[in-house]
Amino acid sequence: MEEMESWIAALEREVRSFEIYFMIGLPGQTERSVWETVAYCEELLGRFPRGRVVPFICPMLPFLDPGSDIFEDPGSWGYTLFHRSLEDHRRALAAPTWRARLNYCTDSLDREALVRVSYAAVQRLTEIKVERGLLPEAIGGGIVDRLEETGSLLDRI
């Protein structure tokens, strides 16, 4: 992260903005480490004001790529797969929720935890962007409302 921050600082005058993407669903990643990432995103927003750095956080959706080393040997990478065949993937894509489409969980985040922390982390980062004036309240509020509504629906499905 230090190297990335140095690179951003060195190029700050040359580049209008930097989008930085953090993934949820990595082996060894816990709910706590996801929240630490959200806190780091807030720290970056404070360190590089004026919208120069725009962090995003999201889960790896919906599949680990078939044919990749991770797909072929998920256990050695810290993953468990739920969909292996083409038919498994086809059925998953027709499922009513992305939780059911998700073809993996990790050694530290089961499917439910991965979904729950993903929604919560995206919501919190959206709120932070609104608080810092990087996202208009109307847009950020709409995103938060949809995330809350979707989370509520997922709990009932």
Side-chain angles (χ1 to χ4, degrees), residues 74-96:
S76 69
W77 293 89
Y79 290 99
T80 299
L81 288 185
F82 301 113
H83 316 309
R84 293 283 269 152
S85 70
L86 181 59
E87 179 59 18
D88 292 342
H89 284 86
R90 187 200 64 76
R91 273 194 299 254
L93 286 171

Side-chain angles (χ1 to χ4, degrees), residues 91-113:
R91 273 194 299 254
L93 286 171
T97 66
W98 72 264
R99 175 180 56 208
R101 288 183 206 115
L102 195 61
N103 81 334
Y104 70 94
C105 69
T106 72
D107 54 0
S108 302
L109 290 172
D110 65 27
R111 217 186 220 171
E112 289 297 319

Side-chain angles (χ1 to χ4, degrees), residues 121-130 135 140 143-144 147:
V122 170
Q123 179 177 332
R124 181 62 193 129
L125 186 54
T126 301
E127 292 166 345
I128 291 166
K129 288 176 181 178
V130 170
L135 197 56
I143 292 168
V144 167
L147 288 168

Side-chain angles (χ1 to χ4, degrees), residues 31-91:
E31 289 190 49
R32 179 181 176 161
S33 64
V34 170
W35 289 115
E36 288 169 353
T37 301
V38 172
Y40 179 68
C41 289
E42 185 169 19
E43 204 176 294
L44 283 174
L45 290 171
R47 195 170 308 147
F48 299 99
R50 302 172 315 278
R52 297 300 300 243
V53 171
V54 184
F56 296 90
I57 190 165
C58 60
M60 297 187 304
L61 293 176
F63 305 136
L64 294 179
D65 295 332
S68 68
D69 289 344
I70 294 171
F71 186 87
E72 295 303 323
D73 188 15
S76 69
W77 293 89
Y79 290 99
T80 299
L81 288 185
F82 301 113
H83 316 309
R84 293 283 269 152
S85 70
L86 181 59
E87 179 59 18
D88 292 342
H89 284 86
R90 187 200 64 76
R91 273 194 299 254

